[in-house]
Amino acid sequence: MISVVLGFTGGALLLAGALMIAQGLIGRRSVTRELARQRISFPVRDALPISLARYAGQAVHTGAEARAFSELIGVHVAKATGGRTYAEIADEWQAGGRADDRLARLRETAFMGQSLRGALLGAYQAWQVTLLVVGLGALFMAIGVAFAALALQMP
Protein backbone atom coordinates (compact mmCIF):
# COMPACT_ATOMS: atom_id res chain seq x y z
CA MET A 1 0.00 0.00 0.00
CA ILE A 2 2.82 2.44 0.90
CA SER A 3 4.57 1.70 -2.39
CA VAL A 4 1.41 2.63 -4.28
CA VAL A 5 1.11 5.92 -2.40
CA LEU A 6 4.81 6.66 -2.95
CA GLY A 7 4.53 5.78 -6.64
CA PHE A 8 1.41 7.91 -7.09
CA THR A 9 2.97 10.82 -5.20
CA GLY A 10 6.18 10.48 -7.20
CA GLY A 11 4.24 10.50 -10.46
CA ALA A 12 2.19 13.52 -9.38
CA LEU A 13 5.35 15.40 -8.41
CA LEU A 14 7.00 14.53 -11.72
CA LEU A 15 3.98 15.78 -13.63
CA ALA A 16 3.66 18.94 -11.50
CA GLY A 17 7.37 19.62 -11.85
CA ALA A 18 7.29 19.25 -15.62
CA LEU A 19 4.28 21.58 -15.84
CA MET A 20 5.98 24.15 -13.61
CA ILE A 21 9.14 24.10 -15.71
CA ALA A 22 7.11 24.47 -18.90
CA GLN A 23 5.08 27.36 -17.47
CA GLY A 24 8.22 29.06 -16.16
CA LEU A 25 9.87 28.85 -19.57
CA ILE A 26 6.72 30.10 -21.30
CA GLY A 27 6.57 33.02 -18.86
CA ARG A 28 10.22 33.85 -19.46
CA ARG A 29 9.68 33.81 -23.21
CA SER A 30 6.67 36.09 -22.75
CA VAL A 31 8.71 38.63 -20.77
CA THR A 32 11.45 38.54 -23.40
CA ARG A 33 8.96 39.06 -26.24
CA GLU A 34 7.24 41.96 -24.51
CA LEU A 35 10.53 43.68 -23.73
CA ALA A 36 11.65 43.18 -27.35
CA ARG A 37 8.39 44.77 -28.59
CA GLN A 38 9.20 47.88 -26.57
CA ARG A 39 12.43 48.37 -28.57
CA ILE A 40 14.33 49.67 -25.54
CA SER A 41 18.09 50.03 -26.01
CA PHE A 42 20.82 51.37 -23.79
CA PRO A 43 22.65 54.43 -25.12
CA VAL A 44 26.32 54.33 -26.08
CA ARG A 45 28.92 53.86 -23.36
CA ASP A 46 29.65 57.60 -22.94
CA ALA A 47 26.03 58.28 -21.96
CA LEU A 48 25.93 55.59 -19.27
CA PRO A 49 27.01 55.57 -15.64
CA ILE A 50 30.07 53.37 -15.11
CA SER A 51 27.97 50.76 -13.30
CA LEU A 52 25.89 50.23 -16.46
CA ALA A 53 28.69 50.50 -19.05
CA ARG A 54 28.52 46.77 -19.86
CA TYR A 55 25.04 47.35 -21.36
CA ALA A 56 26.15 50.05 -23.83
CA GLY A 57 24.20 49.86 -27.10
CA GLN A 58 22.45 46.66 -26.01
CA ALA A 59 18.73 46.00 -26.45
CA VAL A 60 16.66 45.20 -23.34
CA HIS A 61 15.35 41.62 -23.56
CA THR A 62 15.86 40.10 -20.10
CA GLY A 63 14.73 40.87 -16.60
CA ALA A 64 18.26 41.82 -15.54
CA GLU A 65 18.51 44.25 -18.45
CA ALA A 66 15.10 45.72 -17.57
CA ARG A 67 16.27 46.29 -14.02
CA ALA A 68 19.48 47.92 -15.25
CA PHE A 69 17.54 50.20 -17.59
CA SER A 70 15.25 51.17 -14.71
CA GLU A 71 18.39 52.22 -12.82
CA LEU A 72 19.38 54.40 -15.79
CA ILE A 73 15.95 56.03 -15.77
CA GLY A 74 16.32 56.57 -12.03
CA VAL A 75 19.63 58.36 -12.59
CA HIS A 76 18.07 60.60 -15.25
CA VAL A 77 14.98 61.38 -13.18
CA ALA A 78 17.08 62.18 -10.11
CA LYS A 79 19.24 64.49 -12.20
CA ALA A 80 16.20 66.24 -13.70
CA THR A 81 14.43 66.64 -10.35
CA GLY A 82 17.44 67.42 -8.19
CA GLY A 83 16.91 64.12 -6.37
CA ARG A 84 13.31 64.89 -5.44
CA THR A 85 10.54 62.35 -5.84
CA TYR A 86 7.23 62.79 -7.61
CA ALA A 87 5.48 63.13 -4.24
CA GLU A 88 7.85 65.87 -3.07
CA ILE A 89 7.48 67.85 -6.30
CA ALA A 90 3.70 67.39 -6.32
CA ASP A 91 3.52 68.68 -2.73
CA GLU A 92 5.60 71.71 -3.66
CA TRP A 93 3.49 72.36 -6.76
CA GLN A 94 0.24 72.11 -4.79
CA ALA A 95 1.58 74.29 -1.97
CA GLY A 96 2.36 76.95 -4.58
CA GLY A 97 -1.23 76.98 -5.78
CA ARG A 98 -0.52 74.84 -8.85
CA ALA A 99 0.61 77.96 -10.69
CA ASP A 100 4.27 77.15 -11.35
CA ASP A 101 4.56 75.71 -14.88
CA ARG A 102 8.16 74.64 -14.30
CA LEU A 103 7.09 72.55 -11.30
CA ALA A 104 4.15 71.15 -13.28
CA ARG A 105 6.51 69.96 -16.03
CA LEU A 106 8.96 68.60 -13.47
CA ARG A 107 6.09 66.78 -11.77
CA GLU A 108 5.16 65.15 -15.10
CA THR A 109 8.78 64.19 -15.72
CA ALA A 110 9.05 62.59 -12.28
CA PHE A 111 5.74 60.79 -12.74
CA MET A 112 6.66 59.39 -16.16
CA GLY A 113 10.11 58.35 -14.99
CA GLN A 114 8.81 56.62 -11.90
CA SER A 115 6.07 54.93 -13.93
CA LEU A 116 8.57 53.64 -16.49
CA ARG A 117 10.84 52.43 -13.71
CA GLY A 118 7.92 50.63 -12.11
CA ALA A 119 7.00 48.90 -15.37
CA LEU A 120 10.59 47.78 -15.96
CA LEU A 121 10.94 46.59 -12.37
CA GLY A 122 7.69 44.66 -12.85
CA ALA A 123 9.29 42.91 -15.83
CA TYR A 124 12.33 42.16 -13.68
CA GLN A 125 10.13 40.70 -10.93
CA ALA A 126 8.22 38.57 -13.47
CA TRP A 127 11.58 37.34 -14.78
CA GLN A 128 12.63 36.39 -11.25
CA VAL A 129 9.32 34.59 -10.60
CA THR A 130 9.80 32.52 -13.77
CA LEU A 131 13.22 31.48 -12.47
CA LEU A 132 11.66 30.49 -9.15
CA VAL A 133 8.93 28.46 -10.88
CA VAL A 134 11.48 26.61 -13.03
CA GLY A 135 13.64 25.91 -9.96
CA LEU A 136 10.70 24.65 -7.94
CA GLY A 137 9.62 22.51 -10.88
CA ALA A 138 13.08 20.92 -10.98
CA LEU A 139 12.92 20.33 -7.23
CA PHE A 140 9.47 18.73 -7.53
CA MET A 141 10.78 16.46 -10.27
CA ALA A 142 13.80 15.42 -8.20
CA ILE A 143 11.57 14.59 -5.24
CA GLY A 144 9.20 12.76 -7.60
CA VAL A 145 12.07 10.64 -8.91
CA ALA A 146 13.14 9.84 -5.35
CA PHE A 147 9.59 8.84 -4.38
CA ALA A 148 9.20 6.69 -7.50
CA ALA A 149 12.55 5.00 -6.84
CA LEU A 150 11.50 4.26 -3.26
CA ALA A 151 8.21 2.85 -4.50
CA LEU A 152 10.02 0.52 -6.90
CA GLN A 153 12.33 -0.73 -4.13
CA MET A 154 9.49 -1.59 -1.74
CA PRO A 155 8.02 -5.10 -1.76
Side-chain angles (χ1 to χ4, degrees), residues 11-62:
L13 286 169
L14 283 167
L15 178 62
L19 290 173
M20 290 173 77
I21 289 171
Q23 287 300 309
L25 295 174
I26 289 168
R28 188 160 274 227
R29 207 171 18 247
S30 176
V31 170
T32 297
R33 258 185 290 188
E34 186 54 39
L35 286 170
R37 282 187 196 127
Q38 298 302 316
R39 297 187 194 123
I40 303 167
S41 293
F42 286 90
V44 295
R45 185 176 303 272
D46 297 342
L48 288 173
I50 293 171
S51 63
L52 300 176
R54 69 177 179 264
Y55 296 107
Q58 194 173 321
V60 175
H61 290 145
T62 69

Side-chain angles (χ1 to χ4, degrees), residues 6-149:
L6 281 174
F8 178 77
T9 303
L13 286 169
L14 283 167
L15 178 62
L19 290 173
M20 290 173 77
I21 289 171
Q23 287 300 309
L25 295 174
I26 289 168
R28 188 160 274 227
R29 207 171 18 247
S30 176
V31 170
T32 297
R33 258 185 290 188
E34 186 54 39
L35 286 170
R37 282 187 196 127
Q38 298 302 316
R39 297 187 194 123
I40 303 167
S41 293
F42 286 90
V44 295
R45 185 176 303 272
D46 297 342
L48 288 173
I50 293 171
S51 63
L52 300 176
R54 69 177 179 264
Y55 296 107
Q58 194 173 321
V60 175
H61 290 145
T62 69
E65 293 162 352
R67 181 173 169 232
F69 201 86
S70 80
E71 290 174 23
L72 178 62
I73 291 171
V75 168
H76 289 166
V77 170
K79 188 175 182 181
T81 64
R84 293 178 292 172
T85 66
Y86 167 80
E88 292 168 331
I89 295 166
D91 287 347
E92 187 179 337
W93 179 65
Q94 288 177 0
R98 300 179 181 186
D100 189 332
D101 289 338
R102 183 190 63 79
L103 277 177
R105 286 189 305 276
L106 197 56
R107 178 178 151 266
E108 289 174 13
T109 298
F111 178 77
M112 285 189 291
Q114 289 178 350
S115 295
L116 289 170
R117 286 195 75 220
L120 287 166
L121 289 172
Y124 170 70
Q125 289 298 321
W127 187 264
Q128 294 299 95
V129 168
T130 64
L131 181 62
L132 175 65
V133 170
V134 168
L136 287 173
L139 178 63
F140 275 34
M141 289 187 76
I143 295 170
V145 166
F147 277 26

